[in-house]
Amino acid sequence: MIIKRIAFLFAAALIGLNIWNCPASTSSPAAPSVGGNDYDFRHAFPEPVILIDAGHGGIDGGTSYGDILEKDINLAIGQRLYMVMRSHGYRVILNRTGDYALSDENRWLNNRSRHMRDLAQRKELSEQVPSSIVVSLHVNWGRNKTKRGPLVLHQDEGRSALLANSLQHSLCDLYEMPSIRIPELGKPFYLLRHIDSPAVIVETGFLSNAEDRAMLISARGQQRIAEAIYQGIAEYFTVM
């Protein structure tokens, strides 16, 4: 069953609308500049559609630190990533454009678990739109407050692992990690087990770590994270 919001998001992806009322470029993607220094990553095949999954929302705040909620960070980075991807000519869908739970839109799954309805709704959207990849945004937490840095989880599938590797390297460069963390297989996670498209979960940093937290909650930090994720996605499409 295709709900009205799914139909709207699908139409937005096809015609290049910005679904949260910010201006977007309407020009066709430019070819790479061969002779210049500002080479823009570009794939040689028809435009892919990137589905950005902003984790949590509404009643589900995710992890927290005081009054700082993961759901708000995920949405802020998701919105910035949407704009960065659109500015480079990609077709993008952001599955949550405000502070609401996707479980509220799930009227088709007969399950009393709000969490399961939320996850199923995210999976359903990935099937109803022609998504080439799914990037799910989250924030990490650890009891050890010194633990920091990004972590990308992937499916047990080659394209997903390749995407995760590109994203991990790009984000580790941003965080200036002393060593590159290796992406991990996200075997227990529902979305990675049930989505057919290459999908990854991007843990953008540890809210429990003061240094990461400063990056995650600042507008400049969120923009830099979005740009790093874009670079990883663009690098992936150069080899796929």
Side-chain angles (χ1 to χ4, degrees), residues 43-59:
H43 49 84
F45 303 100
E47 289 182 63
V49 175
I50 294 93
L51 174 58
I52 302 170
D53 172 49
H56 306 286
I59 193 173

Side-chain angles (χ1 to χ4, degrees), residues 15 17 41 53-54 66 74 77 84 102 109 114 117 129 137 154-156 168 172 191 194 203 209 220 227 229:
I15 65 177
L17 289 175
F41 286 110
D53 172 49
N74 296 338
I77 294 174
V84 171
L102 293 184
L109 183 65
R114 184 211 59 78
R117 293 197 309 274
V129 297
L137 301 176
H154 61 85
Q155 299 161 307
D156 189 10
Q168 188 72 63
C172 280
L191 289 182
H194 291 90
E203 300 279 3
N209 176 269
R220 183 171 181 271
E227 290 171 356
I229 294 173

Side-chain angles (χ1 to χ4, degrees), residues 76-215:
I77 294 174
Q79 290 173 331
R80 291 176 181 277
L81 177 59
Y82 177 93
M83 291 303 296
V84 171
M85 298 300 299
R86 287 284 296 119
S87 72
H88 288 280
Y90 288 91
R91 291 187 295 175
V92 193
I93 294 172
L94 178 60
N95 69 354
R96 181 167 70 82
T97 59
D99 184 20
Y100 52 85
L102 293 184
S103 57
D104 296 341
E105 299 179 342
N106 189 329
R107 300 289 186 268
W108 50 271
L109 183 65
N110 185 21
N111 192 304
R112 301 179 76 176
S113 168
R114 184 211 59 78
H115 183 60
M116 186 56 65
R117 293 197 309 274
D118 180 273
L119 293 173
Q121 186 70 7
R122 295 172 192 272
K123 170 185 176 291
E124 179 72 5
L125 178 57
S126 75
E127 294 178 348
Q128 297 296 343
V129 297
S131 52
S132 302
I133 61 170
V134 178
V135 178
S136 183
L137 301 176
H138 287 267
V139 173
N140 223 332
W141 178 272
R143 291 184 178 180
N144 182 352
K145 294 183 179 181
T146 64
K147 194 169 185 178
R148 63 178 297 265
L151 175 64
V152 185
L153 306 169
H154 61 85
Q155 299 161 307
D156 189 10
E157 193 265 351
R159 294 168 300 169
S160 174
L162 180 62
L163 174 60
N165 189 65
S166 295
L167 290 166
Q168 188 72 63
H169 275 76
S170 184
L171 286 164
C172 280
D173 285 347
L174 169 64
Y175 276 81
E176 298 181 343
M177 301 297 291
S179 61
I180 297 296
R181 180 175 286 150
I182 302 203
E184 296 181 7
L185 178 63
K187 191 173 181 179
F189 294 95
Y190 179 95
L191 289 182
L192 298 183
R193 288 189 290 109
H194 291 90
I195 290 179
D196 293 330
S197 304
V200 293
I201 293 174
V202 180
E203 300 279 3
T204 52
F206 280 81
L207 195 57
S208 48
N209 176 269
E211 191 174 350
D212 279 12
R213 188 165 59 250
M215 173 85 77

